[in-house]
Amino acid sequence: MSFVSIIEGLMRELGIEQFGWARLEKPLSMDIYRQWLAAGHHAGMEYLRDHADMKENPQELAPRARSALVIAKSYAQHPYPKVQFPKSLRTALYAQGEDYHFHFKRELEAVAERLKALFPEEEFLCFTDSAPILERDLAYRAGVGWFGKNTCLIHPEHGSLFFIGQILTSIKSESTPEPMVDHCGTCDRCIRACPTGAIEEPRKLNANKCISFWTIEAREAAPPELRVKTGDWFFGCDICQTVCPWNEKVFGRSEMQQLVREKVSDPNELVEDLRWILRASHNEISRKCKPSPLSRARPLGLKRNALVVIGNKRLHDLRPEVEQASAEPRLMELAQWTLSQLT
């Protein structure tokens, strides 16, 4: 049997519906990626620039690798949902559970073990998006989806709410799927819906304007003109995905429209969650958020995000906590801004 037919049989046996394979070659979008970096649209995330050469030549990461098995896993209903904090705050869907990097990688490793048993002389290395791989490009070439205008990968039967993982292998695949046809058409809902205008053109996202960047990756507060557009987003943002007609088709229009709107929470619970974040020590926050993607923002970043939400929602009950936060030099300017929103 061919490698491809063995892969297809194993995926059916394991119940994995969304997958594909591709040869490891220079990414199709590499030149576009370098142009994006040159324009400064990576918002100072210098690791993206530092890893560019390795992304262009995947063999630098895995010298023996010749092909990649790409596997996608839906998170519309979070597959690792144990984390409950903070229920009242608006977070991206992928963050409403435990950090997928660890769990998903273990699942990929279980697949790799099965492949290793079938091909004992070959190499199989598992990666999630923490590795320097242009994974969406690889997934596109593997037939897992097309590049949407929001820059996310979209599949007509699975939408775009999925994680992407790769198993790089020394096996050279004899055939690869055709890349998926673009089905965005004339739709530009994602571009029009972005509160900050971060999607400046179809498939061109400027991270300097992106709510997800400012609430997750950034180490400082967003400029005031972006803070007011962040609304009640505490960690990440899903708007450019939840307005997508393909996600409405897969997951239900009313379900997606509900996610586009401001989160409805118990006011008392919301205030108490934000109060705890502002009052808690950095160690307490780290322990509380350890299994969650929220730890990516670090305790100071979560306090920063809390101040923006408080200001935008005009939560006057939290004025004492905001005033206390203004004593922290790294939060002083933002806390003063929040107080100005509470007047």
Side-chain angles (χ1 to χ4, degrees):
M1 295 177 66
S2 68
F3 170 67
V4 170
S5 60
I6 290 173
I7 289 292
E8 290 177 338
L10 179 59
M11 294 299 101
R12 284 194 298 270
E13 180 184 338
L14 296 174
I16 297 173
E17 298 181 355
Q18 194 178 359
F19 67 95
W21 53 91
R23 297 188 184 96
L24 276 187
E25 301 168 340
K26 177 182 176 179
L28 295 173
S29 60
M30 195 65 218
D31 293 340
I32 295 172
Y33 181 69
R34 289 194 182 278
Q35 292 167 11
W36 181 77
L37 292 171
H41 289 169
H42 60 306
M45 292 181 280
E46 289 305 317
Y47 61 89
L48 297 177
R49 186 191 300 276
D50 295 341
H51 295 159
D53 290 344
M54 189 174 293
K55 289 176 178 178
E56 182 165 0
N57 180 17
Q59 275 74 26
E60 289 191 26
L61 179 66
R64 289 188 61 199
R66 295 295 177 267
S67 305
L69 170 63
V70 181
I71 296 175
K73 187 178 185 71
S74 175
Y75 62 80
Q77 294 293 326
H78 205 287
Y80 319 114
K82 291 183 181 178
V83 173
Q84 295 297 313
F85 174 81
K87 274 198 308 185
S88 69
L89 296 173
R90 194 179 188 190
T91 61
L93 289 170
Y94 90 91
Q96 294 178 15
E98 294 189 352
D99 192 331
Y100 70 93
H101 290 89
F102 310 112
H103 295 281
F104 191 26
K105 188 172 183 180
R106 282 198 290 267
E107 292 169 2
L108 294 174
E109 288 170 345
V111 175
E113 286 180 12
R114 295 287 299 273
L115 291 170
K116 186 70 174 177
L118 294 169
F119 303 96
E121 302 302 317
E122 305 293 349
E123 184 174 72
F124 300 92
L125 300 173
C126 303
F127 300 96
T128 57
D129 66 359
S130 58
I133 299 171
L134 283 185
E135 63 170 12
R136 285 174 302 159
D137 186 286
L138 190 59
Y140 168 74
R141 288 188 286 117
V144 174
W146 75 87
F147 282 106
K149 291 180 182 177
N150 59 5
T151 76
C152 296
L153 216 65
I154 305 174
H155 189 283
E157 296 176 5
H158 302 285
S160 67
L161 302 171
F162 53 81
F163 306 129
I164 301 173
Q166 312 87 40
I167 301 176
L168 305 190
T169 175
S170 53
I171 296 175
K172 186 173 182 179
S173 174
E174 70 276 13
S175 64
T176 57
E178 286 293 321
M180 194 165 287
V181 174
D182 183 342
H183 291 288
C184 284
T186 60
C187 178
D188 63 352
R189 279 197 208 173
C190 55
I191 298 173
R192 290 185 285 111
C194 179
T196 58
I199 309 172
E200 296 183 336
E201 299 175 20
R203 301 171 186 85
K204 185 178 287 186
L205 185 143
N206 185 346
N208 294 285
K209 301 178 182 179
C210 181
I211 291 172
S212 287
F213 168 74
W214 286 109
T215 56
I216 301 175
E217 297 290 334
R219 294 296 173 251
E220 63 278 346
E225 63 271 18
L226 291 181
R227 293 173 198 167
V228 296
K229 297 178 181 179
T230 300
D232 67 333
W233 284 104
F234 175 72
F235 186 90
C237 177
D238 285 324
I239 290 175
C240 69
Q241 296 194 80
T242 49
V243 299
C244 178
W246 289 102
N247 281 324
E248 290 185 351
K249 177 178 180 290
V250 174
F251 303 111
R253 186 177 183 187
S254 61
E255 287 80 1
M256 291 297 103
Q257 288 183 342
Q258 183 178 349
L259 293 171
V260 173
R261 296 189 290 268
E262 185 170 310
K263 184 179 176 67
V264 178
S265 300
D266 180 291
N268 295 325
E269 186 178 23
L270 176 63
V271 167
E272 286 308 309
D273 280 345
L274 290 166
R275 176 174 285 130
W276 184 87
I277 291 168
L278 290 185
R279 287 183 174 180
S281 69
H282 285 201
N283 285 338
E284 288 172 329
I285 293 174
S286 293
R287 286 196 297 271
K288 188 90 165 179
C289 297
K290 185 176 181 181
S292 163
L294 270 67
S295 60
R296 176 75 177 176
R298 303 179 186 179
L300 189 70
L302 296 179
K303 288 177 180 286
R304 171 201 64 201
N305 297 349
L307 288 170
V308 174
V309 173
I310 291 167
N312 286 334
K313 291 187 73 68
R314 308 293 199 273
L315 298 175
H316 295 274
D317 289 350
L318 291 169
R319 174 179 285 275
E321 284 74 20
V322 177
E323 290 174 344
Q324 184 178 353
S326 67
E328 161 61 64
R330 293 169 293 181
L331 295 173
M332 183 182 300
E333 183 275 329
L334 177 58
Q336 291 300 322
W337 174 85
T338 302
L339 289 171
S340 73
Q341 302 299 103
L342 299 181
T343 56

